[in-house]
Amino acid sequence: VRRKLEHNHHNGWIEINRFDYSIFFAIATSDETVSPDIRLEKIRQSGAHICHRLNQHRIAEATIVGFDHKEEELIALAEGIVLANYQFLNHFSAPEKKKNSLETLSFASNLVTGAALKKLEVITQAVCWARHLVNEPFNALNAETLAQRFSDALQPCGVMVEVMHKNRIEALKMGGLLAVNRGSVDPPTFTVMEWKPEDALNEKPIILVGKGVVYDTGGMSLKPSNAMETMKCDMAGSAAVAAAMQVAALLNLKLHLIALAPATDNRVNGNAYVPGDVITMFDGTTVEVLNTDAEGRLILADALSYAKKYDPMLVINIATLTGSASRAIGTHGIAAMQVKAQSDFEALKVSGNKVCERLVEFPMWDEYREMLKSNIADLKNIGGPEAGMITAAKFLEHFTDYPFIHLDIAGPAFLDKTDSYRGKGGTGICVRLLGDFLVKMASVQHQN
């Protein structure tokens, strides 16, 4: 028993079984060399351990009792428990047999304010919704279904949702989105989500753009079969931006926000676009396609060009874009780049550290643009085997003229094994990041 207590203490928690109930002590590190952000993350991880034990004991209700801890530490513990309790059971024949026992988590502490509790509830709910979308298999979630899910969830919150279907996309001449869709039997969609309270504090909107490739075979540049197994997650960027809109609406943030989600699958048939094709994008740029598996940047380029019509104060792009990002930093961070957005990028980085969805900044030097020059068109869609996450971002930069932040979430968007409260499968990456960032942005705008 003593060894077990010592082991669990080392992992940040202690359990005392009182037969008819259990008491768990989450122990925040006293190491003064540990940053406040890492301290919060360790508390979340303790929450995940406790959640596992609660479900092992088939406990349905748990109460967090605060002692001398700060509010943010109690919230972090609850966050770890709630997110670790997430399950995706949609396709089991008997889901009730697999359902976790934990149903209710409450606080018995006057240290936690109603505002903090509301923020916790809204953001964790949005993370779980994003995870659900990412975890859905392609045969249950094509581009049209994804757009419908966005509309069904967001319109009741007060978010205006417009879904553009293929005929409208063709009329707009979104050549990137249409090219990627050519190999599919399902039509593409382009969803515009707008949250604009009457008392919005920002004159120009903040725009969130999310990649919505609902399944990616690689097209004619076909992926190996073992690289396709998780490609239902290639729409994780669109799920993140839609969930962020839900957060903004439910928290009634006084910000004008717009989210754009181009969506299609990337499949192979007789009409599929092929390496060597030249396509014309929404803004008139011609692109030589050298790899049809570099499809995400093509649909995002149309969305980024479309964003210009709003004269935005900032655009944040989120995408499972490159294997290079995953190979560079694995699952523990987000490959991030910015153009003309240094101050907002620094604020986003602070939020990333706080919620442990950390940004690793890569350069956007002009030399990388040289790698995208084509002999027969304005651009080519890949830059070669080196610095792939950067050349992809430089390709996207071509279609912008505003402050721009690009987040490549290819590593952390989908996990093949459980990682604490992030679980297995879709992680909902960037929802907590954007939630914290937008809450702070609304506060800063109010102060100004």
Side-chain angles (χ1 to χ4, degrees):
V1 172
R2 180 178 179 181
R3 283 198 300 270
K4 185 175 180 180
L5 285 174
E6 287 175 348
H7 171 75
N8 289 342
H9 177 275
H10 179 71
N11 283 281
W13 61 282
I14 292 175
E15 175 186 355
I16 299 177
N17 190 336
R18 302 301 296 270
F19 299 106
D20 56 341
Y21 65 94
S22 293
I23 300 173
F24 295 88
F25 293 93
I27 303 167
T29 179
S30 59
D31 187 347
E32 294 182 358
T33 65
V34 172
S35 71
D37 293 331
I38 296 299
R39 179 183 173 92
L40 290 178
E41 179 63 4
K42 289 184 177 296
I43 292 172
R44 290 187 203 102
Q45 292 171 354
S46 295
H49 285 296
I50 290 171
C51 178
H52 177 66
R53 293 296 291 165
L54 289 170
N55 285 311
Q56 279 188 331
H57 291 321
R58 305 305 299 168
I59 293 172
E61 299 181 11
T63 301
I64 295 176
V65 180
F67 296 105
D68 59 346
H69 292 293
K70 300 175 182 177
E71 178 185 61
E72 65 179 5
E73 294 173 342
L74 298 178
I75 291 293
L77 181 66
E79 186 178 31
I81 293 172
V82 171
L83 293 179
N85 200 47
Y86 168 81
Q87 292 179 288
F88 182 70
L89 304 176
N90 289 12
H91 301 283
F92 285 102
S93 58
E96 66 281 355
K97 294 181 180 180
K98 293 181 174 291
K99 187 177 180 182
N100 287 338
S101 62
L102 183 61
E103 295 181 348
T104 304
L105 181 66
S106 58
F107 286 91
S109 172
N110 58 9
L111 297 175
V112 178
T113 63
L117 192 57
K118 177 69 172 177
K119 180 183 175 185
L120 169 69
E121 181 182 8
V122 166
I123 291 180
T124 53
Q125 173 184 313
V127 171
C128 292
W129 179 46
R131 289 178 177 181
H132 259 42
L133 292 172
V134 173
N135 285 328
E136 281 285 12
F138 175 45
N139 64 342
L141 194 77
N142 63 18
E144 290 186 307
T145 311
L146 179 67
Q148 189 63 52
R149 296 278 186 97
F150 291 160
S151 182
D152 290 346
L154 295 178
Q155 289 197 110
C157 302
V159 177
M160 293 182 289
V161 180
E162 178 188 8
V163 179
M164 301 183 195
H165 294 280
K166 188 173 183 178
N167 59 347
R168 179 79 183 281
I169 294 168
E170 288 175 332
L172 289 170
K173 298 181 179 179
M174 291 187 170
L177 180 53
L178 290 168
V180 177
N181 181 252
R182 274 173 49 189
S184 177
V185 296
D186 299 321
T189 58
F190 187 90
T191 305
V192 180
M193 299 157 270
E194 185 171 17
W195 168 248
K196 190 177 182 181
E198 291 183 0
D199 49 353
L201 299 168
N202 50 324
E203 293 182 7
K204 297 181 178 183
I206 298 168
I207 297 182
L208 309 175
V209 179
K211 175 184 173 183
V213 175
V214 289
Y215 192 80
D216 182 20
T217 68
M220 296 299 285
S221 303
L222 197 66
K223 295 177 183 288
S225 59
N226 62 352
M228 285 192 220
E229 294 171 0
T230 60
M231 281 299 100
K232 63 182 182 180
C233 81
D234 215 13
M235 38 60 67
S238 67
V241 301
M245 296 297 285
Q246 185 183 68
V247 169
L250 292 178
L251 292 180
N252 195 26
L253 297 186
K254 306 305 181 184
L255 293 174
H256 181 195
L257 302 172
I258 297 170
L260 306 177
T264 180
D265 56 280
N266 184 27
R267 276 190 286 190
V268 179
N269 77 10
N271 291 322
Y273 75 132
V274 298
D277 280 358
V278 175
I279 61 177
T280 302
M281 310 297 286
F282 172 71
D283 73 342
T285 298
T286 58
V287 175
E288 180 187 13
V289 177
L290 295 183
N291 188 328
T292 63
D293 196 23
E295 85 297 331
R297 67 200 67 184
L298 298 177
I299 73 171
L300 290 168
D302 282 342
L304 293 172
S305 296
Y306 189 83
K308 293 176 184 178
K309 65 178 284 188
Y310 298 104
D311 187 23
M313 67 173 284
L314 173 68
V315 174
I316 302 176
N317 183 75
I318 301 174
T320 48
L321 204 61
T322 67
S324 298
S326 179
R327 288 189 292 273
I329 57 176
T331 63
H332 301 295
I334 299 166
M337 287 138 274
Q338 64 83 25
V339 180
K340 298 185 290 188
Q342 188 64 54
S343 61
D344 288 326
F345 185 86
E346 292 302 323
L348 193 66
K349 186 183 292 186
V350 169
S351 289
N353 289 336
K354 181 179 178 183
V355 304
C356 205
E357 294 187 352
R358 296 165 291 191
L359 308 188
V360 180
E361 185 173 9
F362 287 86
M364 287 284 274
W365 301 326
D366 286 341
E367 287 84 351
Y368 292 107
R369 185 179 292 125
E370 297 296 313
M371 298 167 69
L372 294 166
K373 287 186 175 180
S374 166
N375 293 323
I376 64 169
D378 298 331
L379 293 173
K380 56 185 180 180
N381 77 326
I382 57 172
E386 298 175 343
M389 80 291 286
I390 301 174
T391 54
K394 293 299 287 186
F395 179 88
L396 296 177
E397 182 194 359
H398 173 86
F399 300 90
T400 71
D401 62 359
Y402 38 69
F404 174 59
I405 295 174
H406 170 58
L407 305 178
D408 192 331
I409 59 171
F414 196 92
L415 303 180
D416 58 8
K417 61 182 179 180
T418 297
D419 177 22
S420 185
Y421 60 89
R422 290 175 178 84
K424 183 178 180 179
T427 62
I429 190 75
C430 283
V431 178
R432 294 165 58 239
L433 168 67
L434 290 174
D436 190 80
F437 173 75
L438 292 173
V439 167
K440 290 177 179 175
M441 177 73 78
S443 176
V444 168
Q445 292 289 320
H446 178 73
Q447 293 170 7
N448 292 340

